Amino acid sequence: MPKLKIVGGRRLSGEIVVDGAKNSAVALIPASILCDEIVEINNVPDISDIDALEEILDYLGVKVERGKHSIVFNDTKIDNKFIPCSMSGKLRASYYFMGAILGKYKHVDMCFPGGCSIGERPINLHLKGFEKLGAVVREDDGRVIIDADELVGAEIFLDFPSVGATINIILAAVKARGKTVIDNAAKEPHVIDVCNFLNSMGACISGIGTGRIEIIGVDHLHSTKHNVVPDMIEAGTYVIIASLLGKNLKVSNLEPLHIESLTSKLEEAGVNLEIGDDYIFVADVSEYKGIDIKTMVYPGFPTDLQQPMTPFLVSCEGISHIEETIWENRFQNIADTIKMGASIEVSSDNKVATIYGSSKLVGKEVSATDLRGGASMVICGLIADGETIIDNISYILRGYDDIVGKLNRVGADIKIVD
Ligand code: UD1
């Protein structure tokens, strides 16, 4: 199995260009099925989660033209058959086929989604939303079968502003009869991107980016061409790296507002960031002081940046805390961070990590436990003394486009080895 080998301690200079958002692209691709004409999506990240979606499309008989960073649907008609666990289980976002196929064909039969085991990851809110629209949901040993004679707009209140449930219900509602209202909807930039994409095809969605989204159903969705929004998590990961190792390092093609919760925390710790219209630049690093972080839904501090932030806090002077409020199992990277020399305690309820700072990390053999935990280990390796070997790198390649090339080009010593 391939591994990542990193020789740490290199200062990084030049430019890292952020790609399109994984969490947006993985929704836009299933959403394209709803369209009745040609769809072209650009700025698609070249990651294995997109390969997994393409495999499902291919299985359903949808032939797409895939470029390195683009995907074109010339025909969106599917052979609406059972999607097996071997396909849906490869990624979390396979659940967007539920909303999209239900919205267009009123019948879905597929296995539960997969994804990183960062918590329980129920989809009850998605299914409850489909039921509110008039669908009947049956669950049978890991299989979900959803049927509707007709989908009819409804008022839906989400117990939690779930990203996945918000998008999935929108996908099911865009062609439903009448008006659907989603209250306590998610406001993440990828939710906004999906709504803008659907509207560009003729959908009628308003309240985008607020907690109350209204959808008036339409019969037909026409051709569109769309650019995926920049990836706020990839951007944030590289801005954290720049804060630790940057020497005139620019992270470009990002939307600074999307990661304000991160940059305000980095600045509180003492990082000197130059924030431009679409880039963040770090001229040099210095000594930083410990800070406290609590993960929240957007625009709060994103849970997906909590693990990449850990090596930063390990390097700060004094004590820092991370409180994880979204997922139950998101400190899996900490054992290997401790192995590399960090001093961290996790509370017995697995919700708060206390980081005793200023530890110097030393290269070790470690493992990526999940996507963002893997990114965290990459950062540990970049700042550590000596050589770090990271196992299980398929997790990392699921979500970071060309991470090895991007880091190498700015001076890191990182490569994939067998
Ligand atoms: C998405 C992202 C993931 C990110 C997360 C939170 C994708 C493919 N993944 O995941 O990277 O960490 O948003 O920003 O976009 N919940 C329920 N019932 C549901 C759905 C969710 O209880 O039906 C709970 C979850 O257990 C969790 C919280 O809501 O505690 C957030 O989940 P959600 O926003 O749905 O995350 P995902 O869409 O799965």
Side-chain angles (χ1 to χ4, degrees):
M1 290 292 266
K3 298 179 182 186
L4 270 181
K5 181 173 153 189
I6 304 172
V7 180
R10 303 284 169 95
R11 297 296 300 277
L12 308 179
S13 307
E15 183 172 356
I16 296 176
V17 182
V18 173
D19 279 296
K22 162 182 127 27
N23 287 348
S24 182
V26 295
L28 296 172
I29 290 169
S32 300
I33 285 178
L34 284 162
C35 187
D36 303 298
E37 298 173 13
I38 295 172
V39 179
E40 178 177 336
I41 309 173
N42 293 306
N43 203 30
V44 177
D46 186 15
I47 52 175
S48 61
D49 267 11
I50 304 294
D51 301 338
L53 290 174
E54 191 183 358
E55 190 191 345
I56 296 176
L57 289 171
D58 189 56
Y59 166 80
L60 296 176
V62 182
K63 294 275 174 271
V64 294
E65 280 171 43
R66 176 120 177 253
K68 189 157 174 56
H69 287 116
S70 65
I71 185 160
V72 177
F73 292 73
N74 289 313
D75 187 2
T76 55
K77 270 196 246 23
I78 66 164
D79 175 9
N80 194 7
K81 56 187 176 180
F82 168 63
I83 302 174
C85 304
S86 58
M87 291 186 186
S88 68
K90 280 193 181 160
L91 78 169
R92 190 76 199 148
S94 56
Y95 54 34
Y96 291 129
F97 281 107
M98 289 183 189
I101 296 177
L102 178 67
K104 188 159 176 179
Y105 294 96
K106 317 282 180 289
H107 167 78
V108 192
D109 186 356
M110 65 178 282
C111 267
F112 267 84
C116 295
S117 47
I118 52 180
E120 289 214 358
R121 311 202 81 173
I123 56 166
N124 59 313
L125 299 176
H126 307 225
L127 301 179
K128 198 170 130 191
F130 298 150
E131 285 174 338
K132 282 267 188 181
L133 295 172
V136 175
V137 177
R138 282 178 293 141
E139 290 180 51
D140 180 16
D141 196 23
R143 186 169 176 168
V144 190
I145 303 142
I146 313 170
D147 285 289
D149 292 334
E150 187 189 24
L151 293 167
V152 183
E155 295 250 345
I156 299 167
F157 179 86
L158 295 179
D159 299 344
F160 185 89
S162 151
V163 169
T166 301
I167 294 177
N168 234 342
I169 294 167
I170 292 170
L171 297 182
V174 282
K175 287 188 161 182
R177 180 164 59 81
K179 180 162 113 178
T180 298
V181 179
I182 308 175
D183 261 317
N184 202 23
K187 302 172 188 161
E188 271 72 359
H190 26 290
V191 179
I192 296 174
D193 199 33
V194 174
C195 292
N196 289 338
F197 170 71
L198 292 166
N199 275 354
S200 75
M201 301 194 287
C204 185
I205 307 171
S206 57
I208 299 170
T210 75
R212 184 178 167 89
I213 294 178
E214 293 193 5
I215 307 135
I216 312 276
V218 296
D219 289 335
H220 179 82
L221 292 177
H222 58 72
S223 182
T224 192
K225 196 169 170 176
H226 183 83
N227 267 336
V228 181
V229 72
D231 194 316
M232 60 180 274
I233 306 303
E234 190 198 14
T237 303
Y238 289 124
V239 170
I240 292 168
I241 292 174
S243 302
L244 288 165
L245 293 163
K247 182 114 187 113
N248 297 324
L249 182 61
K250 183 178 183 183
V251 185
S252 65
N253 192 34
L254 53 77
E255 174 49 76
L257 200 60
H258 292 172
I259 50 168
E260 211 180 356
S261 58
L262 168 72
T263 51
S264 73
K265 279 290 166 188
L266 292 172
E267 287 176 333
E268 186 185 324
V271 183
N272 193 3
L273 299 171
E274 179 189 320
I275 302 179
D277 285 347
D278 66 350
Y279 70 88
I280 293 177
F281 178 78
V282 175
D284 207 349
V285 303
S286 66
E287 306 273 289
Y288 305 133
K289 64 174 190 326
I291 48 169
D292 293 342
I293 280 162
K294 181 174 180 176
T295 64
M296 293 171 80
V297 296
Y298 189 83
F301 194 93
T303 170
D304 287 358
L305 284 175
Q306 174 266 98
Q307 291 164 300
M309 193 65 172
T310 307
F312 175 84
L313 300 176
V314 165
S315 308
C316 290
E317 268 177 38
I319 297 176
S320 299
H321 296 96
I322 299 175
E323 186 178 347
E324 171 60 56
T325 72
I326 312 289
W327 300 114
E328 303 86 0
N329 194 19
R330 225 171 188 183
F331 288 129
Q332 295 175 92
N333 54 309
I334 284 184
D336 274 345
T337 311
I338 292 173
K339 185 175 167 189
M340 293 177 74
S343 176
I344 306 175
E345 277 169 15
V346 177
S347 61
S348 54
D349 61 5
N350 216 21
K351 288 189 172 150
V352 180
T354 304
I355 299 159
Y356 302 93
S358 292
S359 302
K360 188 71 200 120
L361 300 185
V362 179
K364 292 274 186 246
E365 292 211 7
V366 296
S367 196
T369 52
D370 54 85
L371 166 56
R372 307 302 170 187
S376 179
M377 296 325 298
V378 169
I379 302 175
C380 287
L382 292 172
I383 60 174
D385 278 341
E387 187 179 287
T388 297
I389 303 284
I390 306 177
D391 202 355
N392 268 340
I393 61 169
S394 58
Y395 279 119
I396 303 170
L397 305 179
R398 279 187 42 201
Y400 287 90
D401 186 340
D402 191 26
I403 187 167
V404 172
K406 286 184 186 186
L407 288 170
N408 263 317
R409 285 192 287 279
V410 293
D413 185 345
I414 172 170
K415 59 181 163 208
I416 295 182
V417 294
D418 280 324

